[in-house]
Amino acid sequence: MTHHPGLLRTAPLQGETTSSLICRIASRYGLEAKVLRSCWHWRNYQPAHDGGGVRADAEVLLNAAGRQLLAGLCGVRGDVLARALPSWAGEDAKLPAAENQVPAAAWRIGGAVAGPVAFGCRLCAARRTGTAVRVVQYAPLWSRVCVRHGRWLLDADADQPYEYLNVRHVPEVAAAQRRWAGVARWAVRTGAEPEQVFALAHAVVARWWEQALHWERETIWPRRLHQVAGGNAGSDLEWWRIVGRDAVVFPEVVAVADALLDPGMGELIWVDSGAGQPRALPADGMFCRRLGERVGRAWLGPLAATDHGGPLIAWMGSVIRRRRTAGRAPAPGYTDDPWWVRREHQPVTIAGQLRVLGKEKRAPGSGRMWRASVPAEQRMLIARAIESAEERLHQLRGVQTGPTADVTQQLLGNLHHSAVLIENAWKRTAVAAANAGVPLEKVAQWADMPTETLRSMLADRQEEDG
């Protein structure tokens, strides 16, 4: 193609990906995107999903000549593009040196360039540009609601067909986005990074989301989920629980972030811990009870307080330790930083969950695969028992000092409780395997026990579970 300055001006949208802008320019000129992309020399291939489909969150990095070419094609000055496009100044080793005058480009995944990538609202884009085309933008989770059109804008990195969820009939989602602005300002005043506060609150609530399958008193989230699914999630409930999670739990995430920043809530943790006379956090502690009330679930307190090994208990422990060490600031990244989310506590992304679900459905004999054959509730109960046992055992580190009676009491108490939890997980795993069709003889062999003993134990267990 012969390169000429753009005759039709195509202005970038704030936070838009460079790849999205190129696609919109091509559409403006009535071209396919791949035709316009041939103006650049590409150093690698366009990212794709495992199934072969092109990734919507694919991003483009350009060298100096490539940026100059793009500015000419869209008829916009480079400094305007630099302010609008987060990846504009991105560097890449695959691109030629600045003195090279060949327009060159390299593909990257948007999330690795400038943060989370989401679909933009087509209706808002049409108001700005006059054309209802797809737009892809960098957008954190707390800015995903298009209040004007009642849409929750979905992640662009997931291999699924929707760009948004309709939240027009779930007004608390938009209200939470408006509320977040005040929570973020409060975080800054307290010396915390809003992004870290949100990440911790999201980790806490996402863990509740996984546990909520067996919460008989939970009615808010099921109602919201069916609404964002178009009225009824139906037989695709598991799929909708993945895709709809972040929109459905968003109001609770903001409420939890607000609570975690509240000094009064921190004081309740200190009192629950025994203050000057340290003790184990109680199941009926004031902090978790008040937290449950702040998210509209007065019954949630004991469930949150006994979720050992989760991000909330880890945060509470950090707050207590900082209080006992006179509030000395932790080193960056150190575990006593209350806003640091451990890797094991970070929620699995929607894209990651969909990949697992897709592989299970495509794999031969998928009915025998663990996630496909064991109900989510049973998987969660097994995981919780294991995590609780891990937390109990972790508490025994360094305990073998002091009076013999005290040490023995703590060791035996925690070891006994851990053994009960492990046995619970062991039995549930055996029942799940048997129900999934794994030969009982194999299960007995792996459990290192006689088959008849295992059969009797499973019968008793199944009778207990009803």
Side-chain angles (χ1 to χ4, degrees), residues 225-380:
L225 182 62
H226 287 301
Q227 286 176 325
V228 302
N232 191 343
S235 59
D236 292 328
L237 178 61
E238 186 171 6
W239 188 88
W240 278 110
R241 271 185 56 80
I242 294 172
V243 175
R245 179 194 68 186
D246 290 339
V248 170
V249 306
F250 184 55
E252 285 73 22
V253 172
V254 176
V256 169
D258 186 46
L260 299 185
L261 288 166
D262 188 343
M265 295 292 284
E267 190 64 31
L268 293 181
I269 298 175
W270 180 243
V271 173
D272 288 340
S273 70
Q277 298 178 336
R279 67 182 181 189
L281 292 170
D284 60 346
M286 291 187 293
F287 169 80
C288 286
R289 185 165 66 249
R290 186 72 56 83
L291 182 63
E293 293 170 356
R294 291 180 70 150
V295 297
R297 296 161 176 82
W299 46 266
L300 179 59
L303 296 176
T306 55
D307 182 23
H308 302 292
L312 181 62
I313 298 297
W315 176 82
M316 293 168 68
S318 295
V319 171
I320 294 167
R321 286 190 293 273
R322 294 193 78 185
R323 181 73 174 265
R324 287 175 179 162
T325 55
R328 290 194 298 271
Y334 184 62
T335 55
D336 270 354
D337 178 355
W339 306 115
W340 179 68
V341 182
R342 300 173 186 172
R343 181 178 295 275
E344 63 268 23
H345 292 158
Q346 296 172 9
V348 180
T349 64
I350 290 174
Q353 293 182 77
L354 288 176
R355 281 195 298 270
V356 171
L357 186 64
K359 288 178 180 179
E360 290 172 351
K361 290 184 176 181
R362 291 192 301 268
S366 61
R368 295 288 300 279
M369 297 187 71
W370 179 258
R371 281 178 55 89
S373 58
V374 179
E377 179 181 354
Q378 289 300 317
R379 298 198 309 268
M380 185 275 300

Side-chain angles (χ1 to χ4, degrees), residues 17-24 37 46 56 58-60 87 107:
T17 66
T18 303
S19 175
S20 173
L21 177 60
I22 292 174
C23 290
R24 289 200 300 113
R37 286 197 293 262
Q46 188 171 3
E59 179 58 298
V60 172
S87 68
W107 287 105

